[in-house]
Amino acid sequence: LGYGFCHVPATPGCHTLACVTWRPRGTWWERLSQRLVGGGPQLRTPEAAATGAADRFRLRTEAAGTVHLQLGVILRHFGRYGVEC
């Protein structure tokens, strides 16, 4: 029910990340409908949220929570890191 952005680590191994999420605030009618029916306002072009701040500064948003991720990153040349193919 929200959008978030975080960088994937460029080093191999296990990583724990916290991705802070947000969602468009919408009008009072959209917020009421969201509570009763579900769903909610969505971005027309979600790619704009990741490209730069120039497209995001006009948005009215609210916090949507935090997603905790545990990632296992393996890079190319597996043999160098002890992974057998």
Side-chain angles (χ1 to χ4, degrees):
L1 292 179
Y3 299 90
F5 182 84
C6 60
H7 293 280
V8 175
T11 57
C14 295
H15 301 277
T16 302
L17 302 174
C19 183
V20 178
T21 62
W22 54 272
R23 63 179 168 231
R25 185 161 169 84
T27 63
W28 71 271
W29 180 253
E30 290 170 328
R31 290 193 307 268
L32 177 63
S33 175
Q34 181 179 3
R35 286 188 173 258
L36 297 175
V37 181
Q42 297 179 358
L43 296 179
R44 290 184 185 157
T45 55
E47 301 83 28
T51 57
D55 295 326
R56 291 189 306 242
F57 79 96
R58 292 181 296 242
L59 294 175
R60 292 179 47 215
T61 63
E62 59 187 15
T66 303
V67 176
H68 298 278
L69 304 167
Q70 291 184 338
L71 300 178
V73 178
I74 298 176
L75 303 177
R76 58 185 229 178
H77 305 300
F78 295 147
R80 293 182 188 175
Y81 299 106
V83 177
E84 296 179 12
C85 302

